[in-house]
Amino acid sequence: QVQLVESGGGLVQAGGSLRLSCAASGLTFSSYAMGWFRQAPGKEREFVGTINWRGTSTYYADSVQGRFTISRDNAKKTVYLQMNSLKPEDTAVYYCAAGYIAARVSREYKYWGQGTQVTVSS
């Protein structure tokens, strides 16, 4: 069965950095675009960024543009989210997802991980 497992979350001070990882199994990883989403308490799930299956194109939400970077290692079946210059408003549960296109909406993704908590203190 398909599994996506996020890791790397934690508590960080504003201005700091974290690197999230999402390890995939049970699918042909290199055939899927991968997305990152986040959800804060009381808010709807929000698009963060996505990367196509080749790793040649990335797209980001305006709120994270210039601070976050998505990359992937198809040999390791892992996608990463490097988060720099973190702000308190980045606090959320971060989810990775796999889909057929590098879309900005959650409905286009077929498989989802369970999420990892990121908390940014002020």
Side-chain angles (χ1 to χ4, degrees), residues 93-110:
V93 176
Y94 283 71
Y95 300 89
C96 68
Y100 293 117
I101 60 172
R104 294 171 173 82
V105 292
S106 60
R107 65 177 178 269
E108 297 295 336
Y109 292 87
K110 185 175 182 179

Side-chain angles (χ1 to χ4, degrees), residues 39-89:
Q39 188 167 26
K43 299 179 66 177
E44 294 191 351
R45 187 161 53 193
E46 176 187 24
F47 170 74
V48 175
T50 188
I51 186 168
N52 70 349
W53 69 270
R54 301 177 186 86
T56 55
S57 297
T58 56
Y59 308 91
Y60 302 95
D62 290 343
S63 59
V64 306
Q65 182 73 48
R67 299 188 297 120
F68 291 11
T69 302
I70 295 174
S71 61
R72 68 189 295 164
D73 185 336
N74 286 346
K76 296 181 178 179
K77 295 185 176 181
T78 302
V79 64
Y80 305 95
L81 181 66
Q82 178 67 48
M83 305 185 294
N84 299 325
S85 301
L86 283 161
K87 305 174 181 179
E89 51 263 45

Side-chain angles (χ1 to χ4, degrees), residues 32-45:
Y32 288 85
M34 299 296 296
W36 284 97
F37 293 79
R38 65 188 183 186
Q39 188 167 26
K43 299 179 66 177
E44 294 191 351
R45 187 161 53 193

